[in-house]
Amino acid sequence: MLRIKNLSKKFGTFTAVDNINLKILKGDLYGFLGENGAGKTTTMKVIAGLYSPTSGKVLIDNIDIQSDPVTAKLNIGYIPDQPFLYDKLTGREFLYFSGGLYNLTRKNINDKIKEVVDILQIGSWIDKKTEEYSQGMKQRITIASAILHDPKLIILDEPMIGLDPQSALIVKNLLRKKASEGAAVFMSTHSLPVAEELCNRIGIIKNGRIIFEDNRDAVEMLKSNINSSFESLFLELTR
Protein backbone atom coordinates (compact mmCIF):
# COMPACT_ATOMS: atom_id res chain seq x y z
CA MET A 1 0.00 0.00 0.00
CA LEU A 2 2.84 2.40 0.89
CA ARG A 3 6.26 2.01 -0.67
CA ILE A 4 9.11 4.39 0.09
CA LYS A 5 12.18 4.00 -2.08
CA ASN A 6 15.52 5.66 -1.24
CA LEU A 7 13.73 8.71 0.11
CA SER A 8 15.76 11.77 1.14
CA LYS A 9 14.66 15.26 2.09
CA LYS A 10 17.07 18.15 2.58
CA PHE A 11 16.50 21.70 3.78
CA GLY A 12 19.52 23.58 2.50
CA THR A 13 22.53 21.69 3.80
CA PHE A 14 20.52 19.89 6.51
CA THR A 15 19.42 16.33 5.73
CA ALA A 16 16.15 15.65 7.58
CA VAL A 17 15.46 12.29 5.93
CA ASP A 18 18.41 10.25 4.70
CA ASN A 19 17.81 7.56 2.07
CA ILE A 20 15.10 5.56 3.83
CA ASN A 21 13.16 2.58 2.49
CA LEU A 22 9.87 1.32 3.88
CA LYS A 23 7.08 -0.97 2.74
CA ILE A 24 3.73 -0.93 4.55
CA LEU A 25 1.04 -3.41 3.56
CA LYS A 26 -2.75 -3.43 3.73
CA GLY A 27 -3.85 -4.19 7.28
CA ASP A 28 -0.57 -3.05 8.83
CA LEU A 29 -0.70 -0.84 11.89
CA TYR A 30 2.81 0.57 11.71
CA GLY A 31 4.42 2.49 14.57
CA PHE A 32 7.02 5.04 13.48
CA LEU A 33 9.15 5.99 16.46
CA GLY A 34 12.02 8.34 17.12
CA GLU A 35 13.25 11.18 19.27
CA ASN A 36 12.30 14.81 18.59
CA GLY A 37 13.98 15.96 15.40
CA ALA A 38 14.64 12.42 14.17
CA GLY A 39 12.74 12.98 10.90
CA LYS A 40 9.31 11.48 11.63
CA THR A 41 7.15 14.48 10.76
CA THR A 42 9.21 15.36 7.69
CA THR A 43 8.85 11.79 6.40
CA MET A 44 5.09 11.92 6.93
CA LYS A 45 4.73 15.26 5.18
CA VAL A 46 6.63 13.91 2.16
CA ILE A 47 4.36 10.85 2.10
CA ALA A 48 1.28 13.08 2.31
CA GLY A 49 2.53 15.26 -0.54
CA LEU A 50 3.07 18.39 1.58
CA TYR A 51 6.83 18.33 0.93
CA SER A 52 8.56 17.31 -2.28
CA PRO A 53 11.35 14.77 -1.80
CA THR A 54 14.90 15.80 -2.60
CA SER A 55 15.37 12.33 -4.05
CA GLY A 56 13.62 8.99 -4.04
CA LYS A 57 10.00 7.95 -4.54
CA VAL A 58 6.79 7.58 -2.56
CA LEU A 59 4.20 5.19 -4.02
CA ILE A 60 0.66 5.07 -2.65
CA ASP A 61 -1.07 1.92 -3.92
CA ASN A 62 1.56 1.90 -6.73
CA ILE A 63 0.80 5.54 -7.62
CA ASP A 64 3.75 7.94 -7.55
CA ILE A 65 2.66 10.92 -5.47
CA GLN A 66 4.97 13.23 -7.41
CA SER A 67 3.83 12.28 -10.90
CA ASP A 68 0.12 11.85 -10.06
CA PRO A 69 -0.49 13.72 -6.80
CA VAL A 70 -4.27 14.12 -7.08
CA THR A 71 -4.97 10.41 -7.59
CA ALA A 72 -2.46 9.41 -4.92
CA LYS A 73 -3.90 11.84 -2.35
CA LEU A 74 -7.42 10.49 -2.87
CA ASN A 75 -6.11 7.31 -1.23
CA ILE A 76 -4.68 9.13 1.82
CA GLY A 77 -6.16 10.31 5.09
CA TYR A 78 -3.66 12.61 6.87
CA ILE A 79 -3.91 13.72 10.50
CA PRO A 80 -1.16 16.21 11.45
CA ASP A 81 0.26 16.65 14.94
CA GLN A 82 -1.44 20.04 15.22
CA PRO A 83 -5.03 19.83 13.95
CA PHE A 84 -6.18 22.77 11.81
CA LEU A 85 -9.87 23.68 11.74
CA TYR A 86 -11.84 26.70 10.55
CA ASP A 87 -12.92 28.28 13.82
CA LYS A 88 -16.20 29.75 12.57
CA LEU A 89 -17.46 26.43 11.19
CA THR A 90 -19.18 23.82 13.28
CA GLY A 91 -17.70 20.33 13.33
CA ARG A 92 -20.46 19.13 11.00
CA GLU A 93 -19.82 22.00 8.55
CA PHE A 94 -16.13 21.19 8.57
CA LEU A 95 -16.88 17.56 7.74
CA TYR A 96 -19.11 18.66 4.84
CA PHE A 97 -16.27 20.84 3.61
CA SER A 98 -13.78 17.97 3.91
CA GLY A 99 -16.10 15.52 2.14
CA GLY A 100 -16.51 17.96 -0.74
CA LEU A 101 -12.74 18.04 -1.25
CA TYR A 102 -12.90 14.32 -1.99
CA ASN A 103 -15.85 14.73 -4.40
CA LEU A 104 -18.24 12.80 -2.16
CA THR A 105 -21.94 13.27 -2.88
CA ARG A 106 -24.10 14.98 -0.28
CA LYS A 107 -25.84 11.69 0.52
CA ASN A 108 -22.50 9.94 0.85
CA ILE A 109 -21.22 12.68 3.16
CA ASN A 110 -24.36 12.44 5.31
CA ASP A 111 -23.98 8.68 5.58
CA LYS A 112 -20.29 8.92 6.44
CA ILE A 113 -20.88 11.66 9.03
CA LYS A 114 -23.42 9.42 10.78
CA GLU A 115 -20.81 6.64 10.77
CA VAL A 116 -17.94 8.71 12.19
CA VAL A 117 -20.21 10.37 14.76
CA ASP A 118 -20.98 6.91 16.10
CA ILE A 119 -17.42 5.54 15.93
CA LEU A 120 -15.73 8.61 17.42
CA GLN A 121 -18.58 9.53 19.78
CA ILE A 122 -18.70 13.19 18.71
CA GLY A 123 -22.46 13.64 18.45
CA SER A 124 -22.85 15.78 21.57
CA TRP A 125 -20.69 18.60 20.19
CA ILE A 126 -20.48 18.19 16.42
CA ASP A 127 -22.82 21.16 15.88
CA LYS A 128 -20.79 23.55 18.03
CA LYS A 129 -18.31 25.92 16.42
CA THR A 130 -14.83 24.48 16.45
CA GLU A 131 -13.46 27.59 18.18
CA GLU A 132 -15.14 26.17 21.31
CA TYR A 133 -13.39 22.80 21.03
CA SER A 134 -10.77 21.44 23.38
CA GLN A 135 -7.56 19.97 21.92
CA GLY A 136 -9.00 16.47 22.20
CA MET A 137 -12.25 17.47 20.45
CA LYS A 138 -10.28 19.10 17.64
CA GLN A 139 -8.21 15.95 17.28
CA ARG A 140 -11.27 13.70 16.96
CA ILE A 141 -12.92 15.99 14.37
CA THR A 142 -9.68 16.07 12.38
CA ILE A 143 -9.53 12.26 12.44
CA ALA A 144 -13.19 12.11 11.38
CA SER A 145 -12.51 14.39 8.42
CA ALA A 146 -9.54 12.27 7.33
CA ILE A 147 -11.48 8.98 7.17
CA LEU A 148 -14.70 10.20 5.51
CA HIS A 149 -13.56 8.96 2.10
CA ASP A 150 -12.37 5.54 3.38
CA PRO A 151 -8.69 6.09 2.56
CA LYS A 152 -6.47 3.12 1.85
CA LEU A 153 -3.62 4.74 3.80
CA ILE A 154 -4.13 6.60 7.08
CA ILE A 155 -1.19 8.75 8.25
CA LEU A 156 -1.27 9.98 11.84
CA ASP A 157 1.38 12.21 13.37
CA GLU A 158 1.19 11.93 17.18
CA PRO A 159 -2.57 11.18 17.24
CA MET A 160 -2.79 10.81 21.04
CA ILE A 161 -1.66 14.37 21.85
CA GLY A 162 -4.24 16.11 24.03
CA LEU A 163 -6.52 13.09 24.34
CA ASP A 164 -7.97 12.02 27.68
CA PRO A 165 -7.97 8.26 28.40
CA GLN A 166 -11.51 7.76 27.07
CA SER A 167 -10.77 9.64 23.82
CA ALA A 168 -7.49 7.76 23.42
CA LEU A 169 -9.34 4.44 23.73
CA ILE A 170 -11.86 5.54 21.09
CA VAL A 171 -9.05 6.45 18.67
CA LYS A 172 -7.15 3.21 19.33
CA ASN A 173 -10.27 1.16 18.65
CA LEU A 174 -10.84 3.10 15.42
CA LEU A 175 -7.31 2.40 14.22
CA ARG A 176 -7.70 -1.30 14.97
CA LYS A 177 -10.99 -1.31 13.07
CA LYS A 178 -9.54 0.42 10.02
CA ALA A 179 -6.55 -1.94 9.92
CA SER A 180 -8.85 -4.97 10.24
CA GLU A 181 -10.83 -3.63 7.26
CA GLY A 182 -7.65 -3.55 5.15
CA ALA A 183 -6.43 0.03 5.49
CA ALA A 184 -2.73 0.61 6.10
CA VAL A 185 -2.15 2.76 9.19
CA PHE A 186 1.15 4.65 9.53
CA MET A 187 1.43 6.33 12.91
CA SER A 188 4.15 8.25 14.66
CA THR A 189 4.01 8.44 18.44
CA HIS A 190 6.18 9.29 21.42
CA SER A 191 4.07 6.95 23.52
CA LEU A 192 5.96 3.66 23.59
CA PRO A 193 3.11 1.86 25.43
CA VAL A 194 0.68 2.90 22.66
CA ALA A 195 3.04 1.62 19.95
CA GLU A 196 3.64 -1.62 21.84
CA GLU A 197 -0.09 -2.14 22.40
CA LEU A 198 -1.35 -1.29 18.91
CA CYS A 199 1.26 -1.85 16.26
CA ASN A 200 2.06 -5.08 14.43
CA ARG A 201 5.22 -3.51 12.99
CA ILE A 202 7.69 -1.00 14.41
CA GLY A 203 10.23 1.28 12.74
CA ILE A 204 12.67 3.56 14.56
CA ILE A 205 14.28 6.56 12.90
CA LYS A 206 17.32 8.47 14.18
CA ASN A 207 19.04 11.42 12.50
CA GLY A 208 16.95 10.80 9.39
CA ARG A 209 17.90 7.12 9.03
CA ILE A 210 15.96 3.96 9.83
CA ILE A 211 17.94 2.18 12.55
CA PHE A 212 15.43 -0.58 13.35
CA GLU A 213 12.47 -2.10 11.48
CA ASP A 214 10.67 -5.37 12.23
CA ASN A 215 7.39 -6.95 13.30
CA ARG A 216 6.09 -7.09 16.87
CA ASP A 217 7.04 -10.75 17.33
CA ALA A 218 10.65 -9.89 16.54
CA VAL A 219 10.52 -6.98 19.00
CA GLU A 220 9.17 -9.27 21.72
CA MET A 221 11.90 -11.84 21.00
CA LEU A 222 14.60 -9.18 21.16
CA LYS A 223 13.22 -7.89 24.46
CA SER A 224 13.22 -11.42 25.84
CA ASN A 225 16.77 -12.15 24.67
CA ILE A 226 18.18 -9.10 26.43
CA ASN A 227 15.72 -9.26 29.35
CA SER A 228 14.62 -5.70 28.73
CA SER A 229 11.48 -3.58 28.48
CA PHE A 230 10.46 -1.92 25.21
CA GLU A 231 11.37 1.44 26.71
CA SER A 232 14.87 0.25 27.59
CA LEU A 233 15.26 -1.31 24.14
CA PHE A 234 14.20 1.95 22.46
CA LEU A 235 16.57 4.01 24.60
CA GLU A 236 19.44 1.63 23.85
CA LEU A 237 18.81 1.75 20.11
CA THR A 238 18.55 5.55 20.01
CA ARG A 239 21.45 6.27 22.38
Side-chain angles (χ1 to χ4, degrees), residues 217-235:
D217 289 342
V219 173
E220 291 300 320
M221 185 176 295
L222 183 57
K223 283 168 49 184
S224 177
N225 288 343
I226 63 175
N227 192 26
S228 174
S229 67
F230 185 48
E231 179 182 37
S232 297
L233 175 61
F234 173 82
L235 292 173

Side-chain angles (χ1 to χ4, degrees), residues 139-208:
Q139 190 77 335
R140 278 199 268 172
I141 282 289
T142 303
I143 292 171
S145 72
I147 64 171
L148 281 178
H149 59 298
D150 290 323
K152 296 178 179 179
L153 172 65
I154 303 172
I155 305 167
L156 306 100
D157 194 357
E158 297 292 348
M160 303 303 171
I161 289 178
L163 297 185
D164 58 55
Q166 179 63 29
S167 296
L169 178 62
I170 289 168
V171 171
K172 286 189 285 188
N173 286 339
L174 169 68
L175 298 182
R176 290 188 183 102
K177 179 177 185 294
K178 288 298 178 181
S180 71
E181 292 171 350
V185 178
F186 185 59
M187 175 183 70
S188 78
T189 179
H190 282 302
S191 174
L192 300 182
V194 167
E196 194 171 16
E197 175 188 355
L198 280 183
C199 300
N200 70 308
R201 293 177 62 208
I202 297 287
I204 299 176
I205 186 171
K206 180 179 180 180
N207 297 329

Side-chain angles (χ1 to χ4, degrees), residues 4 11 57-58 66 77 87 89 96 110 130 139 142 162 172:
I4 300 173
F11 298 95
K57 287 182 177 293
V58 173
Q66 288 300 299
D87 287 350
L89 296 182
Y96 272 114
N110 281 329
T130 61
Q139 190 77 335
T142 303
K172 286 189 285 188

